Amino acid sequence: MIGFISDNVWLIWALISLLCLVLELTSGDFFIISLGAGCVGGAIASAFSDSIVIQVIVFAIVSLVSVFYVRPMALKFFHRDVNKRLSNADAIVGRTGVVTEAIAADGFGRVQIDGDSWKAQASGNNGIDVGAKVRVLRIDSIILTVEKE
């Protein structure tokens, strides 16, 4: 068994590289894949040298180059709209909904957006009837401020 491993060190590097690829799928920050690239470098170095020291040096160099030069470019390319992506309740602002319970002037009613019912108030002192289409202007806690479209 030891003889097989010492004859096929490239296989160990390749397996570790595949493990890094699988782990990268769970994180998405391109750090672990940089280590996987270093493992590929170590596997290639094992084809040319039997010295484990040279293989580890190649692994370290390729990993560092990948972390400091390739990773920032990959982050820019794949995560370019991260700051523009709204989530949760902030994504409701600007959406269109339908009034399901009349909104009285200076009062509250209900608006349905994508199957969810929200407590809503009208902007200004206008009442809005049932069935009217409204656009969400802002959200304060769990209360939407809407205007008639």
Side-chain angles (χ1 to χ4, degrees):
M1 181 73 177
I2 299 289
F4 176 78
I5 292 174
S6 64
D7 290 340
N8 296 301
V9 175
W10 67 272
L11 189 57
I12 306 244
W13 286 110
L15 290 174
I16 295 172
S17 178
L18 286 174
L19 178 66
C20 288
L21 177 64
V22 169
L23 291 174
E24 180 62 40
L25 293 174
T26 63
S27 69
D29 66 351
F30 301 107
F31 182 77
I32 299 172
I33 198 75
S34 297
L35 298 177
C39 289
V40 169
I44 293 170
S46 73
F48 297 107
S49 173
D50 290 337
S51 172
I52 193 72
V53 173
I54 291 175
Q55 294 171 26
V56 170
I57 290 172
V58 169
F59 162 77
I61 290 171
V62 172
S63 293
L64 288 174
V65 167
S66 182
V67 165
F68 290 116
Y69 294 108
V70 177
R71 181 176 179 262
M73 288 186 290
L75 286 173
K76 278 184 191 175
F77 182 75
F78 288 108
H79 296 287
R80 64 181 99 146
D81 293 333
V82 167
N83 295 334
K84 296 177 187 175
R85 198 175 314 148
L86 298 175
S87 63
N88 300 332
D90 294 331
I92 296 288
V93 176
R95 304 281 305 271
T96 301
V98 177
V99 176
T100 57
E101 184 180 307
I103 303 173
D106 294 332
F108 298 100
R110 307 276 311 164
V111 173
Q112 186 170 9
I113 301 173
D114 293 334
D116 293 326
S117 182
W118 292 83
K119 186 174 183 179
Q121 63 185 6
S123 67
N125 292 327
N126 307 343
I128 303 175
D129 296 327
V130 173
K133 290 193 180 242
V134 292
R135 185 172 58 88
V136 178
L137 299 176
R138 70 178 183 271
I139 182 168
D140 298 312
S141 183
I142 58 168
I143 301 172
L144 303 179
T145 302
V146 297
E147 70 178 359
K148 195 171 183 178
E149 278 195 331

